[in-house]
């Protein structure tokens, strides 16, 4: 079993900051890409930011310059520092990881349970 557990969501005023954390645990041989997605009511889930095992990053245009993704490979953890938050950032944020459970296994996608981020105007 592989589990991803998120923390750090909450309610913040526009212009404020939050830091999301996600730790993967369980039967893990290696993790490839890790990322954060979000889903607002009535919208599809969208990529916010992703980071490869080597540290290359990719961001949605709407968060560039405001959000920073990072990871700690030794802890199987990924983080999302969110600054200058806007009401349109309000959503449930989900952690995602590509996990290989044993050598030569394929990488499979795993998801966290989601954490609510609410930005008030």
């Amino acid at each position: 079993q592989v589990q991803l557990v998120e923390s750090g969501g909450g309610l913040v005023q526009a212009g404020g900051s939050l830091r999301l954390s996600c730790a993967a645990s369980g039967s893990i041989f290696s993790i490839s890409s890790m990322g954060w997605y979000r889903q607002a009511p009535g919208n599809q889930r969208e990529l916010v930011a992703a980071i490869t095992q080597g540290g290359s990053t990719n961001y949605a245009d709407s968060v560039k310059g405001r959000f920073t993704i990072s990871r700690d490979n030794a802890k199987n953890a990924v983080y999302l520092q969110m600054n200058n938050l806007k009401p349109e950032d309000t959503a449930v944020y989900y952690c995602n990881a590509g996990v290989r459970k044993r050598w030569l296994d394929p990488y499979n996608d795993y998801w966290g349970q989601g954490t609510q981020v609410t930005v008030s105007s």
Side-chain angles (χ1 to χ4, degrees), residues 34-73:
M34 302 185 80
W36 291 94
Y37 289 71
R38 67 186 180 187
Q39 188 168 18
N43 290 354
Q44 289 187 330
R45 190 173 296 189
E46 62 176 1
L47 174 69
V48 176
I51 185 168
T52 67
Q53 193 176 54
S56 297
T57 58
N58 181 38
Y59 294 93
D61 287 343
S62 59
V63 307
K64 283 180 181 177
R66 300 188 297 122
F67 291 10
T68 302
I69 190 170
S70 61
R71 67 188 280 176
D72 185 333
N73 291 329

Side-chain angles (χ1 to χ4, degrees), residues 3-118:
Q3 287 188 316
L4 273 62
V5 179
E6 301 122 334
S7 61
L11 173 64
V12 65
Q13 288 188 330
S17 298
L18 284 174
R19 186 175 189 250
L20 304 183
S21 299
C22 172
S25 62
S27 181
I28 298 171
F29 178 78
S30 67
I31 300 177
S32 58
S33 180
M34 302 185 80
W36 291 94
Y37 289 71
R38 67 186 180 187
Q39 188 168 18
N43 290 354
Q44 289 187 330
R45 190 173 296 189
E46 62 176 1
L47 174 69
V48 176
I51 185 168
T52 67
Q53 193 176 54
S56 297
T57 58
N58 181 38
Y59 294 93
D61 287 343
S62 59
V63 307
K64 283 180 181 177
R66 300 188 297 122
F67 291 10
T68 302
I69 190 170
S70 61
R71 67 188 280 176
D72 185 333
N73 291 329
K75 296 181 179 180
N76 290 330
V78 63
Y79 310 97
L80 187 68
Q81 178 66 42
M82 305 184 293
N83 297 329
N84 191 20
L85 282 159
K86 303 176 180 180
E88 51 264 43
D89 294 318
T90 295
V92 178
Y93 284 69
Y94 296 91
C95 174
N96 170 267
V99 177
R100 173 183 282 176
K101 296 175 73 173
R102 292 172 297 184
W103 187 48
L104 298 182
D105 278 357
Y107 284 100
N108 290 309
D109 267 346
Y110 289 87
W111 294 89
Q113 80 285 355
T115 184
Q116 177 70 45
V117 171
T118 303

